[in-house]
Structures are given as structure tokens and as C-alpha cells.
Amino acid sequence: GDVVKISTTTASGSAAILTIDNCFDDTTYNYYKVFFKGLALASGTSDETRFRLLDSSGSVLTASEWRGAVSAFDVDGSGNSGFRQPGTTIWDLNYLRIHSHDEFDTVDYNTTNVGQSGEMTIFNPENTSYKTIVQWYMNAYNSDASTDACYLQGMGFYDVAGDNRGISFYTNGGDNFYSTFTVTVYGFKA
């Protein structure tokens, strides 16, 4: 089927939350791809990027209904590598944690590096009979002396089916995103 670009949003210099509203239409699209690049902080000490859905009225869903799994792999310039599961689980949380230092080890979450890039696939966001499922992967490298390269993948679902119309990204400490953080949503027709 056809692929349609629905929306592109870039963080402003004072954006602690990046929201894309009214991006879902399950009568037109079978599933959605969300591409993001330049995910970094302008300042602050937050160490997680979190994801939430917007309900049919545009309000952020804050119930503790997210469940999922994450794995990560990294390698540094000295040839040290590791595969790990994160130290924090994703079960009955009020957000979906898509990045943290637990996964990316020594990759700094700030503007001294290139920021993370990745892709999400979202299924059933408006279907009131099925739960919304999100799959994602992302990568990053650290441009300091350790030169880490990292890859993360995960999946999660919101444990209550509902009519959701948008998405939101934010950090656990409320710090602002750097202006390189750009999110683009595509709809895939059946």
C-alpha cells in the first residue's frame, strides 16, 4: 500500500515535551512508522526518554498500563562489548521508556555527542478492541575518547485498548530537548 507522511515536528529550544497530536487515523492507515533523529538534551541531567500516547481528547495517558521488554548491545573503541537487559523493567509503568543510560552505558545524553536516532512502529492506536503495540529500535555513538557504538531494541503495549490520537516524548527530569530532535510520523495504507 501507499505510505503517507503525516507530520514532522522539531523540538524548540525550550521544549521539555515533544507532542504530535491528531496523527492517527486507523480507517485510512494499517500501521504507523515514527522516525526520530538528533535525540539529545539542551541541558540538564535527565537520563531517560519516555513515550506516551494521547487519548481521544488529546490528553496524555498517565495510567500505569505500559508493559514491555528492552535489550541493548554496545561496543567501545577498545573492543569491549556487551549485551544486556536494562536494570529497570517496563511493567505497569505510566510511560514507555525508550532510552536510558542503563541501555546505552557510557553514551552521554547531551549535546557533546550526535544524539540518538531510531524508528518506532505503532499498531492499533485507534482500535478500541485491540491494545496499542509499539516496537522500536535506536542507535547512538559517543564521540568522546571511549567511542562507544550502541544499539537498542524494544517493544511495549498499552494494556488497555483505546481510541488514541497522538504521541508524546519527554524526559524523566523535565529537561529540554536539544533543537536537533526531530520526529516524523508516516501512515502505511493496507
Side-chain angles (χ1 to χ4, degrees), residues 90-159:
I90 302 173
W91 204 259
D92 291 339
L93 298 178
N94 67 2
Y95 57 87
L96 186 60
R97 182 174 46 87
I98 64 167
H99 163 274
S100 87
H101 272 298
D102 287 342
E103 288 92 20
F104 278 162
D105 195 23
T106 60
V107 173
D108 292 330
Y109 186 47
N110 60 42
T111 59
T112 62
N113 298 296
V114 297
Q116 288 87 38
S117 298
E119 174 184 328
M120 303 175 93
T121 306
I122 301 175
F123 301 93
N124 311 316
E126 287 190 320
N127 193 320
T128 58
S129 298
Y130 296 96
K131 298 172 184 177
T132 300
I133 299 170
V134 179
Q135 299 172 325
W136 75 95
Y137 68 89
M138 58 192 302
N139 56 65
Y141 71 88
N142 190 336
S143 58
D144 69 9
S146 64
T147 317
D148 290 279
C150 306
Y151 176 83
L152 176 139
Q153 62 185 6
M155 71 76 57
F157 62 93
Y158 195 75
D159 201 31

Side-chain angles (χ1 to χ4, degrees), residues 11-30:
S12 68
S14 61
I17 299 172
L18 191 144
T19 299
I20 300 176
D21 198 1
N22 295 310
C23 61
F24 298 137
D25 179 0
D26 285 1
T27 61
T28 303
Y29 304 109
N30 201 21

